[in-house]
């Protein structure tokens, strides 16, 4: 899929008149004209020459190989969890947890992101910083919400009812054949309704994006000042080969 974005520049013309005896100018009219910036515009050699070294440097940084994907990593290769979703959620947990722990003394219990936030698959082959920009083109930052057990139950119900494989990590959710929640585990332990949990997510979701209104019940919100995209790039630099799999973090039992 190619994302087509059309840009526009608006030029405004201000007409100012001076009248006899007036000390201040008087604005009489404002006229505007919209000019589309698209493929119909021709380049200018002097501008191209000026921009070229900067473009080449940016391309060099973005396209330098950081890791390798031995197979396509997609958000459509599983029913309730996917390789792309699992990878992204696991990255947020591994990269943001030390930051949050150093600031608060608490570990992140689990991660919840959104299915729609994954904007591209990771193709088989070399993985670069550009890959991270393609997967996560938004300036979404990692935030951590402190939620009570009752809010986690609402979160689990949301995941069951959404019909989408929203990325999770550190959370294990099992549905029975009738689509009822059979079990909820966090870091391998059953959900404790009397406990509060630290849930890493994005600033978009914590504000109610994708109708995740349970985040409005957060007792506290901590911004890690860490973009999800940057966490991906940092992770790619550490890992030689990406090998995410569809697993049992969110499953529905059969009859």
């Amino acid at each position: 899929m190619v994302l087509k974005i059309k840009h526009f520049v608006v030029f405004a013309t201000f007409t100012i008149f001076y009248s006899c005896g007036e000390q201040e100018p008087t604005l009489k009219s404002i006229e505007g004209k919209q000019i589309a910036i698209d493929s119909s515009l021709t380049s200018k050699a002097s501008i191209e020459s000026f921009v070229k070294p900067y473009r080449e440097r940016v391309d060099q940084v973005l396209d330098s190989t950081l890791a390798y994907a031995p197979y396509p990593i997609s958000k459509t290769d599983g029913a309730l969890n996917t390789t792309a979703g699992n990878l992204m959620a696991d990255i947020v947990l591994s990269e943001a947890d030390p930051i949050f722990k150093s600031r608060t003394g608490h570990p992140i219990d689990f991660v919840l992101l959104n299915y729609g936030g994954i904007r591209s698959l990771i193709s088989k082959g070399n993985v670069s910083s550009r890959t991270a920009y393609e997967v996560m083109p938004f300036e979404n930052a990692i935030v951590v919400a402190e939620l009570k057990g009752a809010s986690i139950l609402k979160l689990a119900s949301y995941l069951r009812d959404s019909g989408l494989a929203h990325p999770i990590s550190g959370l294990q959710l099992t549905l029975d054949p009738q689509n009822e929640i059979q079990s909820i585990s966090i870091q391998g332990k059953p959900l404790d309704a009397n406990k509060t949990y630290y849930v890493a997510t994005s600033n978009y979701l914590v504000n109610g994006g994708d109708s995740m209104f349970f985040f409005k019940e957060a007792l506290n919100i901590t911004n890690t000042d860490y973009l999800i995209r940057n966490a991906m790039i940092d992770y790619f630099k550490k890992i030689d080969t990406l090998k995410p799999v569809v697993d049992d973090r969110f499953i529905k039992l059969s009859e």
Side-chain angles (χ1 to χ4, degrees), residues 178-195:
Q178 288 71 47
N179 212 46
E180 297 298 326
I181 297 174
Q182 176 171 297
S183 65
I184 305 172
S185 297
I186 299 172
Q187 294 296 332
K189 298 180 181 180
L191 172 68
D192 184 345
N194 298 314
K195 184 180 176 182

Side-chain angles (χ1 to χ4, degrees), residues 146-183:
E146 184 179 358
L147 295 177
K148 291 183 177 180
S151 298
I152 303 300
L153 289 172
K154 294 180 182 179
L155 183 156
S157 295
Y158 174 92
L159 289 174
R160 176 197 62 189
D161 299 337
S162 71
L164 296 172
H166 293 295
I168 59 174
S169 181
L171 172 69
Q172 207 277 330
L173 180 62
T174 302
L175 306 179
D176 67 19
Q178 288 71 47
N179 212 46
E180 297 298 326
I181 297 174
Q182 176 171 297
S183 65

Side-chain angles (χ1 to χ4, degrees), residues 202-248:
S202 73
N203 56 332
Y204 167 71
L205 297 178
V206 85
N207 290 316
D210 276 11
S211 299
M212 294 191 185
F213 300 125
F214 45 83
F215 280 123
K216 297 292 185 180
E217 301 174 1
L219 304 177
N220 188 46
I221 301 291
T222 301
N223 193 336
T224 65
D225 305 305
Y226 195 18
L227 296 182
I228 295 175
R229 182 196 312 120
N230 290 349
M232 294 177 66
I233 293 171
D234 289 342
Y235 181 84
F236 293 161
K237 291 177 180 178
K238 300 175 184 178
I239 304 298
D240 178 77
T241 306
L242 305 178
K243 296 180 179 179
V245 296
V246 176
D247 55 28
D248 65 351

Side-chain angles (χ1 to χ4, degrees), residues 42-87:
T42 58
S43 62
K44 191 172 182 180
S46 60
I47 295 177
E48 283 294 317
S49 177
F50 176 80
V51 170
K52 182 180 178 181
Y54 299 98
R55 179 189 293 121
E56 290 177 347
R57 176 56 181 161
V58 169
D59 287 343
Q60 180 185 15
V61 171
L62 288 179
D63 294 327
S64 295
T65 300
L66 303 178
Y68 180 77
Y71 48 80
I73 299 171
S74 169
K75 70 174 186 178
T76 61
D77 54 10
L80 298 178
N81 69 92
T82 68
T83 54
N86 293 351
L87 175 65

